[in-house]
Amino acid sequence: MSEGSAAAFGILLVDDEPAWLRSMSLALERSAGLRHVVTCQDPRKVMEILAGDDIAVVLLDLTMPHLSGEDLLPRITTEHPDVAVIVVSGLNQVETAVRCMRLGAFDYHVKTEEEDRLIAGVLRALRMQELQRENVEVATRLLSGELRHPEAFEGIVTQDSTMRTLFAYVEAVARSPQPLLVTGESGVGKELVARAAHRLSGCAGKLVAVNVAGLDDAVFADTLFGHVRGAFTGADQPRRGMVEEAENGTLFLDEIGDLSIPSQVKLLRFLQEGEFFPLGADRPRKVRARVIAATHQDLAAKEQAGAFRRDLYYRLRTHRVRVPPLRERKDDIPLLLEHFLEEAARSLGKKRPTPPRQLAQLLQTHDFPGNVRELRAMVFDAVSLHKDRVLSMDAFLEAIGRAGEPPPGEAASDRNPFAGAERLPTFDEALELLVREAMTRAGGNQTLAARLIGISQPALSKRLKAYRR
């Protein structure tokens, strides 16, 4: 459980033995970091406490004066069905345990059991409560479609409905201590989504970003977990790792799909236990940090191929979002164009140029394999070359042309649209097909279509009139 989760979920201990209440309160705080613990010696006050405090789990003794736990149990489960009740008895009786489970108890433990088993049971109950609340929150946000904190996403320029749904989901799971997996092609803005999730998380710590691509096992361990003095040759001073830097905050691991199997094992231990070993250390350290991972790779396919651990994959994808590529939200291109024009002019110290009316249409004909990052680079390049009041389209046409070129060394016949055709079209037929395709891509705009195929607008207009005869 994270610090935020521990604060959000209250635990009520009900027992007439003060010594047990004290020892269990200390054990929950010491072993599990659970500090929101309420104790009650009088079972007659339990319903009043539940009505006034945010209690998620009740540890209920069965044998108490005035009101037995077995009589109190059905009242709690009926009036507070969202509260998990763990029965704690001094007797190991199967019949009593079965009866309590039928009355709605979440679990049954004997006081003489090892303390760790009872604490593990409390953590299981808290995890269930956490998932239930998250499911309700996600369903509510997605159905309403409203954002409570739209300012968290101000760095993402969009009017796309899919992106709005993504925002609602991120807002709903932002406070969860469980990992969030952000997938999508390179350049779609995965780190912006991670930053928005951190901003909404309420975490007191900072967001620490680490790109794990290309890190071998030793470098990964040192980067994430640090080292103690003398851990290896040259380690004259201890070094804090990124995990400790992100304490009580968010650790953003970019390109998680490139992580080696040995490094995956180390990361899995941290996710499961909340602890790690700095290089050269013989004792583990505990740190609470929410993990957000991002990748452009298909982790499911890598897991099937044995290149990514199944247990880590399912651990990371507790919450997951896919950021759609720019070609799936082309209505955002005019907005992004205006945004990047402002940003480029400000960054380059120039007056914002006026884009031609056909520019947005031209850009919408391009698939943008580099996504938003590619569009931004195009705009910055064009603005850096800009001299007149109206922005020239030449830089964009050149960039789009280069993007459509085949890789170096590819044979010309491989990219010839007529290669392998059973019958070659005549010159006039081929030209008509080219003109009609240009008009389709330009959305019927003759000026833009003429630019796409490198002829003048009057020449294109003359061709179109001839085709209508």
Side-chain angles (χ1 to χ4, degrees):
M1 304 291 288
S2 74
E3 193 74 31
S5 181
F9 293 99
I11 302 170
L12 175 61
L13 310 181
V14 185
D15 199 306
D16 60 328
E17 299 179 12
W20 186 85
L21 293 175
R22 282 195 303 272
S23 66
M24 184 51 59
S25 297
L26 290 172
L28 289 170
E29 180 174 355
R30 182 182 65 251
S31 301
L34 303 173
R35 297 180 178 85
H36 187 177
V37 179
V38 181
T39 61
C40 177
Q41 289 182 244
D42 188 346
R44 294 171 296 184
K45 297 181 180 179
V46 167
M47 301 309 294
E48 180 183 345
I49 294 172
L50 291 176
D53 206 338
D54 186 14
I55 300 296
V57 177
V58 175
L59 268 65
L60 181 65
D61 184 31
L62 282 185
T63 308
M64 295 180 290
H66 308 299
L67 184 63
S68 73
E70 201 165 337
D71 291 332
L72 187 56
L73 174 60
R75 290 186 57 188
I76 297 175
T77 56
T78 300
E79 297 182 32
H80 299 277
D82 55 334
V83 174
V85 181
I86 298 176
V87 173
V88 184
S89 173
L91 301 174
N92 187 2
Q93 296 178 334
V94 175
E95 296 84 357
T96 305
V98 171
R99 195 162 55 247
C100 289
M101 299 301 282
R102 286 176 176 170
L103 290 173
F106 175 80
D107 207 347
Y108 184 98
H109 285 271
V110 180
K111 284 185 178 180
T112 54
E113 289 178 351
E114 293 182 3
E115 198 174 73
D116 289 347
R117 294 183 63 183
L118 179 54
I119 293 173
V122 172
L123 292 175
R124 280 196 303 272
L126 287 175
R127 175 65 181 135
M128 183 201 71
Q129 298 294 76
E130 182 181 76
L131 288 173
Q132 286 181 344
R133 295 192 186 190
E134 285 175 7
N135 289 339
V136 171
E137 183 75 4
V138 169
T140 302
R141 298 287 181 90
L142 294 182
L143 287 173
S144 69
E146 295 182 1
L147 295 176
R148 297 179 187 173
H149 300 284
E151 69 279 0
F153 304 95
E154 60 189 3
I156 305 174
V157 179
T158 185
Q159 61 181 3
D160 184 71
S161 59
T162 302
M163 292 294 288
R164 297 285 298 180
T165 302
L166 182 152
F167 293 168
Y169 180 86
V170 170
E171 191 176 65
V173 303
R175 289 185 172 270
S176 168
Q178 300 303 313
L180 169 65
L181 179 62
V182 185
T183 63
E185 296 176 7
S186 295
V188 294
K190 297 187 289 294
E191 184 167 349
L192 293 176
V193 173
R195 292 188 179 279
H198 171 70
R199 188 173 175 181
L200 292 163
S201 68
C203 294
K206 59 186 177 180
L207 180 141
V208 176
V210 183
N211 190 320
V212 301
L215 299 183
D216 62 29
D217 185 45
V219 175
F220 171 80
D222 191 26
T223 300
L224 245 66
F225 307 129
H227 60 254
V228 299
R229 183 179 179 182
F232 50 84
T233 303
D236 300 327
Q237 297 295 330
R239 176 181 177 274
R240 282 164 55 92
M242 294 302 183
V243 167
E244 288 185 272
E245 293 292 333
E247 186 168 15
N248 296 322
T250 301
L251 179 66
F252 175 54
L253 301 176
D254 201 6
E255 301 299 347
I256 195 72
D258 292 330
L259 207 57
S260 68
I261 294 293
S263 295
Q264 291 176 30
V265 174
K266 293 181 174 67
L267 178 59
L268 180 63
R269 178 183 176 84
F270 172 66
L271 290 175
Q272 289 179 333
E273 309 296 337
E275 63 182 28
F276 62 95
F277 285 87
L279 290 179
D282 55 4
R283 291 185 180 181
R285 295 182 186 175
K286 280 188 172 288
V287 165
R288 291 191 178 90
R290 203 273 181 89
V291 172
I292 299 178
T295 182
H296 70 279
Q297 300 189 42
D298 185 345
L299 287 191
K302 286 181 72 73
E303 182 269 319
Q304 288 290 329
F308 203 87
R309 288 181 62 97
R310 177 173 296 180
D311 44 9
L312 177 59
Y313 171 58
Y314 285 108
R315 192 77 174 182
L316 287 173
R317 57 164 281 178
T318 304
H319 304 300
R320 62 191 185 278
V321 292
R322 172 188 173 268
V323 185
L326 188 54
R327 64 180 173 275
E328 292 181 10
R329 47 187 181 103
K330 288 192 173 182
D331 287 344
D332 281 345
I333 289 177
L335 280 177
L336 288 164
L337 174 61
E338 292 296 326
H339 174 75
F340 290 140
L341 283 172
E342 291 282 356
E343 183 184 344
R346 186 168 57 251
S347 174
L348 298 170
K350 292 188 173 186
K351 186 177 180 181
R352 179 190 175 280
T354 301
R357 288 185 297 106
Q358 303 90 350
L359 180 55
Q361 286 180 287
L362 169 68
L363 294 173
Q364 286 175 319
T365 67
H366 183 48
D367 277 345
F368 284 99
N371 293 293
V372 179
R373 186 183 295 137
E374 180 185 356
L375 175 57
R376 182 179 184 274
M378 280 188 188
V379 174
F380 267 71
D381 182 46
V383 173
S384 66
L385 300 172
H386 170 68
K387 294 179 181 178
D388 300 323
R389 185 177 64 83
V390 178
L391 186 66
S392 171
M393 292 176 60
D394 292 343
F396 294 97
L397 286 165
E398 184 182 355
I400 290 174
R402 285 199 305 267
E405 289 177 358
E410 184 177 325
S413 61
D414 292 341
R415 56 188 170 91
N416 189 333
F418 304 120
E422 185 175 342
R423 182 187 75 83
L424 287 175
T426 66
F427 181 81
D428 287 337
E429 288 172 341
L431 186 56
E432 182 177 354
L433 290 172
L434 179 63
V435 167
R436 294 195 183 283
E437 178 63 21
M439 287 295 292
T440 299
R441 294 193 182 194
N445 186 302
Q446 291 188 23
T447 303
L448 179 56
R451 280 180 175 257
L452 287 174
I453 58 177
I455 63 175
S456 66
Q457 191 274 329
L460 176 66
S461 180
K462 185 177 179 180
R463 289 278 176 187
L464 290 172
K465 287 178 182 178
Y467 299 150
R468 295 193 192 106
R469 291 175 186 169

